[in-house]
């Protein structure tokens, strides 16, 4: 198959994916409750900075559904934002990582009892910026889901305490009213965990996609030859490259320590590669066994969960094939 045919096939797949995502979004929007309970009944405003972005829009929608008065601030509104901010009960910063701290630094004139929060995927740096800028209650949030989610049902939101936790408990209660699952952790622990949960995975995915491209891989062919589990893994690789390159670049480059963590990963990769080059199957099997023991019961749990995902994937693929 020629390169032109490959590109044509990829374009068709992208269009199908976008069509399915649009249909999914419409169905989810129809299932969104008309209203939720309200955790804080007063006449003061909720301000979402970046409320026209994908994640910001979701918060605006849910606050509106809960009966709050909500204002949106974007960069073009900044010159006239003083009155809006002066009446705020909560200011939620939902802007890209690379400008989060700069935006926070412009919020120094908030009411002393106003809650200042952010939803950035890193926590130490923005939390410190909020504590330095605002003397009132501060909390860092990290919704652990992507922009295609339309409600918080069973979605995890990480909570990192900043200051005066009793004053922002109503916000945590509101998240729970939206059916979110909250998890409390320090900002330092959060960023250390995210180096594994996000940075390592995203970097590995970029590297693998880069390798496929440099090897001039025929994607149509390997998709046709793939087992369901590899097709699912390949879908997760392709999914990343269908999204915002700036977002993932900012996540990976968010902390200089991330490079050291990835370097250690590279060293272990090289260690296994040397064992493979030397043909030492026993050494490789020993490491496999040690890792298996380290995972413990989680290995069986993940096997069961992935099997369910594969069954669902196979059913989806079969339906799509029948429609063609």
């Amino acid at each position: 198959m020629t390169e032109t045919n490959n590109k044509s096939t990829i374009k068709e797949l992208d269009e199908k994916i976008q069509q399915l995502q649009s249909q999914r979004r419409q169905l989810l929007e129809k299932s969104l409750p008309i209203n939720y309970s309200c955790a804080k009944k007063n006449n003061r405003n909720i301000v979402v900075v970046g409320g026209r972005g994908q994640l910001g829009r979701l918060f605006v929608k849910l606050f509106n559904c809960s009966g709050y008065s909500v204002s949106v601030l974007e960069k073009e509104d900044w010159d006239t934002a003083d009155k809006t901010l002066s009446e705020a009960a909560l200011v939620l910063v939902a802007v890209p990582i690379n400008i989060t701290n700069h935006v926070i630094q412009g919020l120094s004139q908030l009411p002393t009892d106003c809650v200042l929060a952010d939803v950035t995927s890193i926590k130490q740096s923005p939390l410190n910026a909020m504590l330095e800028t605002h003397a009132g209650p501060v909390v860092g949030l990290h919704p652990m889901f992507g922009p295609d989610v339309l409600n918080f049902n069973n979605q995890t939101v990480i909570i990192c305490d900043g200051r005066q936790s009793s004053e922002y408990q109503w916000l945590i209660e509101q998240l729970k009213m939206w059916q979110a699952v909250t998890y409390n952790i320090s900002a330092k622990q959060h960023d250390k965990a995210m180096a594994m949960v996000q940075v390592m995975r995203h970097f590995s995915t970029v590297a693998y996609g880069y390798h496929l491209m440099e090897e001039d891989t025929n994607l149509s062919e390997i998709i046709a030859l793939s087992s369901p589990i590899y097709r699912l893994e390949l879908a997760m690789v392709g999914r990343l490259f269908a999204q915002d390159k700036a977002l993932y670049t900012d996540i990976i480059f968010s902390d200089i320590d991330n490079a050291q963590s990835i370097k250690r990963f590279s060293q272990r990769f090289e260690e296994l590669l040397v064992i493979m080059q030397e043909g030492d199957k026993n050494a490789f099997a020993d490491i496999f066994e040690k890792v298996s023991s380290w995972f413990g019961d989680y290995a069986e749990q993940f096997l069961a969960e992935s099997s369910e995902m594969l069954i669902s994937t196979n059913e989806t693929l079969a339906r799509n094939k029948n429609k063609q």
Side-chain angles (χ1 to χ4, degrees):
M1 186 176 288
T2 66
E3 183 178 352
T4 301
N5 287 338
N6 274 337
K7 289 181 178 179
S8 177
T9 301
I10 292 170
K11 184 179 179 180
E12 289 177 8
L13 289 171
D14 286 341
E15 289 174 351
K16 287 181 181 179
I17 290 170
Q18 290 174 5
Q19 183 180 10
L20 289 170
Q21 287 176 335
S22 177
Q23 292 173 356
R24 178 179 181 273
R25 180 172 290 276
Q26 290 172 10
L27 290 172
L28 286 172
E29 283 179 342
K30 289 179 181 178
S31 67
L32 192 67
I34 296 174
N35 55 62
Y36 288 94
S37 298
C38 180
K40 187 178 179 67
K41 293 180 171 63
N42 63 25
N43 58 358
R44 289 175 60 188
N45 211 16
I46 304 294
V47 179
V48 181
V49 183
R52 295 190 191 100
Q54 289 178 308
L55 188 56
R57 262 200 317 266
L58 177 57
F59 275 96
V60 169
K61 180 183 292 186
L62 290 176
F63 276 123
N64 278 323
C65 287
S66 303
Y68 292 91
S69 172
V70 186
S71 296
V72 170
L73 283 183
E74 295 288 349
K75 58 184 179 181
E76 59 267 24
D77 309 314
W78 208 250
D79 291 340
T80 59
D82 288 351
K83 187 176 187 301
T84 302
L85 293 171
S86 70
E87 298 172 350
L90 164 69
V91 173
L92 184 70
V93 179
V95 299
I97 295 174
N98 62 316
I99 63 170
T100 295
N101 286 3
H102 175 72
V103 169
I104 289 170
Q105 289 163 5
L107 299 170
S108 59
Q109 303 300 317
L110 301 180
T112 55
D113 62 343
C114 174
V115 176
L116 178 58
D118 82 301
V119 292
T120 318
S121 59
I122 57 171
K123 290 273 65 86
Q124 289 185 90
S125 179
L127 193 61
N128 288 337
M130 290 190 293
L131 290 169
E132 291 173 2
T133 300
H134 180 50
V138 168
V139 60
L141 308 176
H142 182 190
M144 295 299 295
F145 45 83
D148 55 342
V149 169
L150 289 179
N151 59 56
F152 283 16
N153 293 2
N154 296 316
Q155 300 292 338
T156 298
V157 180
I158 295 175
I159 313 295
C160 296
D161 178 48
R163 182 192 296 122
Q164 299 178 23
S165 61
S166 61
E167 298 302 312
Y168 64 70
Q169 282 308 304
W170 66 268
L171 176 58
I172 309 306
E173 288 305 311
Q174 189 62 63
L175 294 172
K176 293 177 180 178
M177 288 177 178
W178 293 338
Q179 304 302 310
V181 177
T182 60
Y183 187 86
N184 292 74
I185 193 172
S186 73
K188 183 177 181 179
Q189 288 175 296
H190 169 277
D191 287 358
K192 183 178 180 181
M194 286 305 108
M196 294 297 174
V197 174
Q198 287 190 320
V199 176
M200 188 70 69
R201 290 310 310 151
H202 294 332
F203 186 89
S204 298
T205 299
V206 171
Y208 184 56
Y210 182 44
H211 176 70
L212 288 176
M213 181 192 73
E214 289 296 303
E215 291 290 303
D216 196 23
T217 305
N218 186 327
L219 283 176
S220 299
E221 185 174 78
I222 63 170
I223 289 171
L225 297 175
S226 293
S227 65
I229 186 65
Y230 182 70
R231 186 184 177 97
L232 187 59
E233 290 176 353
L234 190 61
M236 296 308 295
V237 174
R239 184 179 189 276
L240 183 137
F241 290 102
Q243 299 181 69
D244 183 5
K245 62 180 181 294
L247 170 63
Y248 290 97
T249 300
D250 285 339
I251 290 173
I252 291 169
F253 282 73
S254 62
D255 190 330
I256 191 63
D257 289 340
N258 291 340
Q260 294 302 315
S261 179
I262 293 170
K263 186 176 182 179
R264 292 192 296 273
F265 172 74
S266 175
Q267 290 168 346
R268 285 159 191 140
F269 189 98
E270 288 291 335
E271 179 185 343
L272 290 172
L273 180 58
V274 169
I275 290 173
M276 181 181 175
Q277 289 173 330
E278 293 176 349
D280 194 344
K281 291 184 178 180
N282 290 332
F284 193 93
D286 286 343
I287 292 175
F288 189 101
E289 181 62 31
K290 288 178 181 177
V291 177
S292 177
S293 297
W294 179 80
F295 267 96
D297 293 340
Y298 282 113
E300 292 297 326
Q301 178 183 327
F302 293 152
L303 176 62
E305 289 178 3
S306 61
S307 295
E308 291 179 5
M309 292 171 64
L310 284 174
I311 291 171
S312 177
T313 300
N314 286 334
E315 291 174 349
T316 301
L317 291 173
R319 286 196 299 269
N320 291 341
K321 188 175 182 179
N322 290 333
K323 291 178 181 178
Q324 292 176 352

